[in-house]
Amino acid sequence: MALFCVRTLGFPEISRDNRPCRLPLRKGLALLVYLAEAKGPVGRDVLATMLWPDSSEDVVRARLRRLMYRLQLVLGDDVLATDRSTVRWSSAVDLQLDSQLFELACDRGEFEQACRDYHGDFLDGFSPGDCPQFDEWAFFRREALRGRMIQALERVVHDRHAAGDYAAAAGYAGRLVQLDPLSEVYGRHLIRNLLLAGDRAAGERHFEALKQRLRDALDVAPETETLGLLNTAAAAPIDTPPPTRYAYGGIHLAFQTHGAGGIDILVLPGFVSHVERIWEEPRCRAFLSSLAVTGRLILFDRRGVGLSDRVGFNPSVDATARDIGTVLDAAGSRRVVLFGASEGGPACIRFAADHADRVAGLILFASLAKGNATPDYPHALQAEQYDVWVQQLIAVWGGPAGIETFAPSLARDPQARAWWASLLRAASSPGAIKGVLEALRDTDVRHLLGQISVPTLVLHRCGDRAVRVGAGRHLASHIAQARYVELDGADHWPFAGDQQAVLASIRQFIGGIAA
């Protein structure tokens, strides 16, 4: 069986049994790459339209036949398998695609291997010419792979820094700077690690280069943190996620604490979470870091998802509320502001109703009191509609499932899509998340709303596509003296869209409690 290696990371190349295949045909190379990425048969009409968009059907079909004939002369008759309507790489060849090897390394958490596999941007410098559909497809694929590479480099920089291998961390940080030269975060990673590795001259050189880039491209000066690096590098910590610990209350619950403010803020997100992966998304990291300035942040994964123990039953609201208490005990928290986002809200409501003495305040963001609609609660999906949605979500679980609903402003952002898909895969399997979602479907805490006696802030974006704004209005109208703030936008995630408006409302609310 012949071994074909398709290189797509960098300028594309094809080799057979480790010998380069000389392909002077740009559209032939484009066709082979597209078929390799497709992992299966592709319609002749799709290929014809992609490669010859302005020609008639008869012309493009004839050109496609001639192109495949010429490819077979170069590669061999056994390389392409065709029928009357489709074309694909033959199963008789052993096909290796570097972009897929890179993604597999990322999926397995082998981030240093992934960095070694990434030799350049997808199809860097290549275009078949006059093929806008192919170029558009290549652009989005390039951005998705580039986003995963940035994530892999971030993880390796963090890991190498934590291990005290500052020279290696600086090497990987240098690649981050190459991918995003205007990122001060990446520039600080590079400069800080160079200084800690003892190479002050290189650190100063890269500091001056960063300052020049920011001035030339953006007409701005470096941030205060960047300016202070040369004086405080030895003591300044890298922007690493806080360490993960475990609380035990019959099952192990993964949690983190971050910051040292005067009040504790426990964040319980929606149906899925991963306390380590959430820090990989820059907007989410910025949002959480801002909360940690307001108070000591406590994060945890509910039972059944993320880094917490899997359970053999559907976790109820009562069970999750008990888990809140377990985590607060482990974190040494006596009084806390609960931040319940989306499906995290009902468990926070349960805990606040049962333990008002431990709750300084309750924040409900894009949340709801009941998981499915009934005649007296029209603010959610009907149970049948909910089940259909769950099936649709599970069917595409390997990818950025539901991002168009959860964060429409980020739906076309390749890095956000790649991060969300990666978080979902790390947080749960399709079968396990089905049980979590079924439990949330059956949630109903309406009877508890009248028992809430702690200060409460209800935040909801008016165009939220995941939880209707009526659900937020219902919460506010049934909790005594709750403050309701309706925000602009359609994003369900608090860190997506205008996060500053969310943070401003939270700071004002917590400031009132502290006063």
Side-chain angles (χ1 to χ4, degrees):
M1 179 181 291
L3 170 64
F4 278 88
C5 296
V6 180
R7 172 179 169 169
T8 64
L9 298 176
F11 196 87
E13 296 177 358
I14 309 287
S15 65
R16 175 170 181 156
D17 295 329
N18 297 318
R19 290 187 173 185
C21 298
R22 305 300 178 187
L23 288 171
L25 309 167
R26 286 186 302 167
K27 291 189 177 180
L29 187 53
L31 181 145
L32 292 171
V33 168
Y34 190 82
L35 292 176
E37 285 276 337
K39 306 177 188 177
V42 178
R44 288 174 179 261
D45 55 339
V46 172
L47 296 171
T49 303
M50 181 171 287
L51 296 176
W52 297 280
D54 299 324
S55 301
S56 67
E57 182 178 348
D58 291 341
V59 170
V60 297
R61 285 185 176 274
R63 287 177 175 173
L64 180 59
R65 286 195 298 272
R66 287 198 297 271
L67 179 61
M68 290 191 296
Y69 173 73
R70 296 176 69 182
L71 288 174
Q72 288 173 326
L73 290 178
V74 176
L75 303 177
D77 294 336
D78 58 344
V79 172
L80 297 178
T82 65
D83 55 33
R84 295 185 62 181
S85 60
T86 66
V87 183
R88 61 179 175 84
W89 277 86
S90 172
S91 57
V93 304
D94 183 7
L95 181 65
Q96 290 187 0
L97 182 60
D98 62 348
S99 60
Q100 293 178 7
L101 293 175
F102 164 75
E103 289 188 300
L104 285 172
C106 290
D107 292 342
R108 292 192 296 262
E110 299 170 357
F111 297 111
E112 291 200 48
Q113 180 62 52
C115 293
R116 288 191 290 269
D117 290 340
Y118 194 94
H119 302 293
D121 286 340
F122 184 73
L123 303 187
D124 190 24
F126 173 79
S127 172
D130 300 322
C131 301
Q133 289 190 29
F134 180 90
D135 290 338
E136 182 180 19
W137 166 78
F139 169 80
F140 285 108
R141 182 67 172 137
R142 182 179 306 121
E143 290 302 303
L145 290 167
R146 187 184 178 94
R148 296 207 72 176
M149 178 56 176
I150 288 173
Q151 294 169 0
L153 284 168
E154 285 181 325
R155 288 296 294 269
V156 175
V157 170
H158 291 153
D159 292 346
R160 286 294 190 176
H161 178 93
D165 190 354
Y166 303 123
Y172 287 108
R175 295 183 67 180
L176 276 173
V177 170
Q178 290 176 354
L179 289 169
D180 191 352
L182 299 179
S183 168
E184 283 197 65
V185 172
Y186 299 156
R188 288 196 292 267
H189 286 346
L190 174 57
I191 296 163
R192 182 182 291 118
N193 280 288
L194 284 170
L195 294 172
L196 289 170
D199 194 348
R200 186 172 183 85
E204 292 176 345
R205 187 168 62 250
H206 281 286
F207 173 82
E208 292 300 327
L210 173 61
K211 188 164 66 172
Q212 185 70 43
R213 290 194 301 271
L214 292 172
R215 180 168 58 244
D216 293 345
L218 304 176
D219 194 25
V220 299
E223 297 173 358
T224 303
E225 183 179 352
T226 307
L227 293 171
L229 277 176
L230 297 180
N231 297 325
T232 61
I238 198 168
D239 299 325
T240 54
T244 300
R245 294 186 284 161
Y246 282 89
Y248 185 74
I251 62 168
H252 295 91
L253 300 165
F255 77 99
Q256 297 175 345
T257 61
H258 182 51
I263 194 166
D264 290 340
I265 307 170
L266 181 140
V267 177
L268 182 60
F271 70 94
V272 66
S273 67
H274 191 291
V275 290
E276 294 184 353
R277 294 293 178 98
I278 56 173
W279 294 96
E280 296 174 2
E281 211 293 316
R283 302 166 193 84
C284 188
R285 184 168 61 231
F287 181 81
L288 294 174
S289 297
S290 295
L291 284 181
V293 173
T294 305
R296 185 178 67 139
L297 192 64
I298 303 174
L299 305 172
F300 85 100
D301 290 331
R302 68 171 74 228
R303 60 176 64 199
V305 300
L307 294 175
S308 294
D309 283 349
R310 300 298 186 258
V311 291
F313 54 89
N314 298 349
S316 66
V317 167
D318 290 348
T320 305
R322 289 194 298 272
D323 293 343
I324 291 175
T326 299
V327 169
L328 291 177
D329 290 343
S333 177
R334 295 184 178 182
R335 280 180 64 78
V336 65
V337 172
L338 299 177
F339 183 107
S342 190
E343 295 91 352
C348 290
I349 290 170
R350 171 89 267 180
F351 190 86
D354 292 344
H355 304 283
D357 58 317
R358 299 192 67 176
V359 180
L362 174 64
I363 302 172
L364 301 172
F365 181 88
S367 194
L368 71 175
K370 192 173 186 297
N372 65 83
T374 49
D376 58 345
Y377 189 84
H379 312 300
L381 294 175
Q382 298 287 338
E384 297 79 6
Q385 296 173 318
Y386 187 98
D387 290 342
V388 170
W389 171 74
V390 170
Q391 292 300 325
Q392 292 172 342
L393 191 74
I394 289 172
V396 292
W397 191 254
I403 193 171
E404 293 80 7
T405 300
F406 300 132
S409 71
L410 302 180
R412 294 179 64 83
D413 185 316
Q415 185 175 0
R417 294 177 66 86
W419 165 78
W420 179 237
S422 175
L423 184 146
L424 292 180
R425 290 192 297 270
S428 182
S429 66
I433 204 64
K434 183 174 183 289
V436 172
L437 290 169
E438 287 175 348
L440 294 170
R441 176 199 61 200
D442 300 332
T443 292
D444 187 353
V445 296
R446 289 177 295 170
H447 63 289
L448 297 174
L449 301 182
Q451 301 177 31
I452 301 297
S453 59
V454 302
T456 301
L457 172 65
V458 179
L459 300 170
H460 215 109
R461 290 191 173 116
C462 58
D464 194 322
R465 300 179 183 179
V467 176
R468 300 169 186 171
V469 69
R473 295 169 182 167
H474 174 271
L475 286 171
S477 65
H478 287 77
I479 297 176
Q481 299 181 342
R483 182 184 173 210
Y484 177 62
V485 178
E486 194 163 298
L487 304 165
D488 292 333
D491 291 298
H492 185 61
W493 296 340
F495 61 86
D498 183 8
Q499 62 172 254
Q500 293 306 316
V502 179
L503 289 166
S505 295
I506 293 172
R507 291 190 193 103
Q508 184 180 15
F509 175 72
I510 293 178
I513 294 173

